[in-house]
Amino acid sequence: YNPKLSYLLAGLSWAAYKQPNIKSSLDDLGFENKQPYYYGENEYMPAHYIAKKKMSDGSDLVLVVVRGTYNDEQKLTDISILTSGSLAGTHAGFTASRDAVYEDLKAFLNGSIPTDNTTYVITGHSLGAATANLVALKLTDPDIGVPHSKVFNYNFSCPDVAKCNPGDWNPSGIHDNMFNIADARDIVSFLPGIIGNNDKS
């Protein structure tokens, strides 16, 4: 956990609520290659920015900043739970948001996800945090193959997107690159990703 990185990403997550603010922030951080997505007024998917820059060692840094709930349409995304089929009980809204951001990331990177010489930093607040959490998890899936050491995931007021019991959230430390920062009194942090698996006792 890096407190300075956390502080920076909290600021970017807040800046993402207004497109001029996040664009200006990315400019200040030296990102010349950047692209906004879903910044329309009535979008169901969360708005996000994807940016990339070359580091001094020649490697690439890719930053994904996902905005939190912004409109009534996204409030429906927040509460969209599947009720039938093999995925019954899973959070359809967060899954759809993850897939949208992941596909945008893949397109931004010319159709494939580099697994070498690229570091990914992914962040968001609220709905954006849930989405960022799931995108980071997808990147490190063996089918995608990005090393855990190359994915930094800091989220703020993140809903519960875990598919397991609380004691099993980080088996063998495999999610040590993911940090969810929240006020324990914030009800958003208890919004379940899987119905019945949000026992916080």
Side-chain angles (χ1 to χ4, degrees):
Y1 176 75
N2 185 316
K4 290 183 179 179
L5 180 58
S6 179
Y7 186 80
L8 171 66
L9 296 178
L12 289 176
S13 295
W14 183 249
Y17 279 91
K18 294 193 179 290
Q19 190 174 356
N21 293 353
I22 184 63
K23 182 182 181 302
S24 175
S25 296
L26 294 173
D27 288 342
D28 290 345
L29 290 170
F31 287 94
E32 295 181 358
N33 186 4
K34 52 190 170 296
Q35 180 67 43
Y37 300 86
Y38 295 107
Y39 268 93
E41 286 301 312
N42 300 308
E43 300 283 2
Y44 282 95
M45 295 297 105
H48 52 282
Y49 250 91
I50 302 174
K52 178 181 172 184
K53 72 176 182 177
K54 191 71 71 175
M55 303 301 286
S56 59
D57 64 0
S59 66
D60 291 322
L61 173 64
V62 176
L63 174 66
V64 180
V65 183
V66 189
R67 184 173 72 181
T69 305
Y70 189 74
N71 56 32
D72 289 339
E73 287 78 12
Q74 288 168 10
K75 289 176 185 174
L76 294 176
T77 299
D78 288 341
I79 61 170
S80 178
I81 306 289
L82 291 173
T83 57
S84 62
S86 62
L87 296 177
T90 61
H91 199 293
F94 295 159
T95 301
S97 296
R98 175 205 64 192
D99 292 345
V101 173
Y102 176 77
E103 289 303 320
D104 289 339
L105 175 60
K106 195 172 170 183
F108 179 84
L109 296 171
N110 300 315
S112 65
I113 301 293
T115 58
D116 296 322
N117 210 37
T118 302
T119 298
Y120 297 86
V121 177
I122 309 166
T123 190
H125 170 258
S126 190
L127 168 60
T131 304
N133 218 329
L134 294 174
V135 169
L137 189 62
K138 186 173 180 71
L139 287 176
T140 57
D141 186 279
D143 290 339
I144 307 299
V146 180
H148 284 82
S149 62
K150 294 294 184 181
V151 178
F152 295 83
N153 178 226
Y154 285 70
N155 305 300
F156 306 91
S157 298
C158 185
D160 174 13
V161 294
K163 289 187 176 181
C164 58
N165 293 317
D168 300 324
W169 279 346
N170 192 20
S172 305
I174 63 173
H175 303 309
D176 282 352
N177 61 328
M178 304 173 76
F179 300 94
N180 295 309
I181 300 144
D183 184 332
R185 299 165 295 181
D186 185 356
I187 191 64
V188 169
S189 299
F190 291 83
L191 181 64
I194 300 293
I195 297 298
N197 279 349
N198 64 333
D199 178 11
K200 303 292 185 180
S201 59

